[in-house]
Amino acid sequence: MTSDLHRPRFHFTAPTNWINDPNGVCFHAGRYHLYYQYNPNAAKWGDIHWGHASSADLVHWRDEPIALAPTPGGADAGGCFSGSFALVAGQPTLYYTGYTAQRQVQCAATSDDLQHWTLQPARTITTPPPGVGVHDFRDPYVFRHDDRWYMVVGASLHHERGQCLLYRSDDGIAWDYRGPLFTSPNLAFGRMWECPNFFLLGDRWVLTVSIWPGLGAHWFVGRFENEVFVPESDGVLDLDAGAFAHLTMQGPDGRTLQWAWMNEQREQARIDAAGWAGAMTVPRELSLDARGRLNLCPVTELAALREASVEVVTTGALCGVVATFAGRHLDIEATFTIRSVRDSQKLGLTVLASPDGGEVTRIVFWPDARRLSVERARSSTDALVRRQDLHGMLVLDEGEALHLRVLLDGSVLEVYANDRLALATRVYPVSEASVLGSVFVEGEADVALQVWAMGCLHEGPRSKLAQPPLALLSPTPMPN
């Protein structure tokens, strides 16, 4: 693993093979728990189980045995797809989508220790409402409100536009369909909404959805009235070729925390050679600003992994390269106070550059265009990796400086701008010498920079995740 230039060090990955969506995130019995879609047999999508890791501090993670496996002949025989965690009458409960070639259904499993889970077939929601196809019905998100349980399920209305469905329960066991929570206002938001999250943040309700096709995610902020969501504002949560399948939980200190999956951006031949695929974003903290915009930033605990400070620079109004640094696993904070805005002026950072400039990834902000980009065109000389650029709109408030938090971790790149725009993607430089970074300004700006090398998040040596005993995969008997 140490010889793999592209393997992350402080972003979560499974010991081997394929991972995708975060699932069942929770805090229970003194530890955070991260479940995730996992293929124990190959570094590609398929044979979906739930892997499991836990942490006492959101920083150092311990691999746990596989939590869920498909039940032969059961409602999840084709795979245990995405879902969420709830503590129902003191009983840890996972709600997730069971897949077969015939349909998708919403399953429930219970546990006493968060490691050994028992399927509860009597609790399965088998039939989607009219207008929703049997394979357009997935990813239950369960929460408590007004002394009742609610479940939001992702769907597609007539296979044409995204929709979120709402169910209600008095006991977390028997569910009644209450109607659509919210339907996409137009076709621009994709045909299917996956992995919906619906939660209270301050005094507002937030709905986040992952949009298919396109691998992007969107947020809506508004009101929950008469069991219908009324949006008041919205924005991009993560862009295409970035992060997907976001999952949110409330921490023991009241913070709203979120993870998302970062897909590979390379061909399967490269993935097979590496033996692993997929990574999680770092845990993020969500909040609303004074304008009602959804804000997101890495959790403060991440600073515990900072090691040597690589570079600290404060400059006046300069033009050109104002600082250089080097590394492949870095936490970078850069603040630019722009003196004036002129046409074509730009500023930002370069990372993972080779000495000859043949490989380089650029993070660029154009103040006049209000655009932040991750330029990947020269990020790798490997023809089997994707290198399209990412662009996001960032409007700075009057007198506001540009603050970039850049998390570089092997092939993982997360860029947070002013806590309200995230650009997450993957880059795969080939040369071992592609470790150079710099800060540049074309125009005039004051720059403050700090860069840290980052340590590893995993507790102890890693080995392939153990399968649970087969007896634990058997469902409980159906009631008479």
Side-chain angles (χ1 to χ4, degrees), residues 386-405:
R386 290 184 277 283
R387 298 185 297 273
Q388 71 271 33
D389 297 343
L390 277 74
H391 306 288
M393 292 295 296
L394 179 66
V395 179
L396 297 179
D397 298 336
E398 183 68 28
E400 185 181 19
L402 171 68
H403 179 72
L404 297 180
R405 177 81 177 277

Side-chain angles (χ1 to χ4, degrees), residues 20-22 238 243-247 258-262 279-284:
N20 57 291
D21 306 6
D238 272 290
F244 196 71
H246 300 67
L247 188 60
Q258 183 189 77
W259 286 257
W261 162 54
M262 298 181 68
M280 298 300 171
T281 63
V282 298
R284 300 163 166 182

Side-chain angles (χ1 to χ4, degrees), residues 363-445:
I363 302 158
V364 185
F365 181 63
W366 282 266
D368 59 333
R370 301 173 174 178
R371 185 177 73 185
L372 180 69
S373 301
V374 175
E375 297 180 349
R376 299 194 299 169
R378 291 190 291 144
S379 63
S380 177
T381 56
D382 186 349
L384 296 185
V385 306
R386 290 184 277 283
R387 298 185 297 273
Q388 71 271 33
D389 297 343
L390 277 74
H391 306 288
M393 292 295 296
L394 179 66
V395 179
L396 297 179
D397 298 336
E398 183 68 28
E400 185 181 19
L402 171 68
H403 179 72
L404 297 180
R405 177 81 177 277
V406 178
L407 302 177
L408 174 63
D409 193 14
S411 59
V412 169
L413 180 63
E414 290 191 78
V415 180
Y416 296 86
N418 292 56
D419 291 348
R420 59 178 183 269
L421 174 65
L423 301 180
T425 191
R426 308 293 296 278
V427 288
Y428 305 92
V430 172
S431 172
E432 291 187 10
S434 294
V435 295
L436 304 179
S438 66
V439 178
F440 65 89
V441 175
E442 295 182 13
E444 290 190 347

Side-chain angles (χ1 to χ4, degrees), residues 87-129:
L87 196 63
V88 179
Q91 178 78 66
T93 305
L94 297 179
Y95 301 89
Y96 66 99
T97 296
Y99 171 80
T100 64
Q102 291 73 40
R103 60 183 178 177
Q104 294 176 348
V105 300
Q106 313 319 314
C107 298
T110 57
S111 174
D112 293 323
D113 60 7
L114 274 71
Q115 292 195 357
H116 307 96
W117 295 88
T118 302
L119 183 66
Q120 303 291 342
R123 303 188 190 184
T124 305
I125 301 175
T126 59
T127 306

Side-chain angles (χ1 to χ4, degrees), residues 262-274:
M262 298 181 68
N263 194 12
E264 295 297 321
Q265 296 285 298
R266 52 183 173 172
E267 296 301 313
Q268 190 63 44
R270 294 288 184 263
I271 296 173
D272 289 341

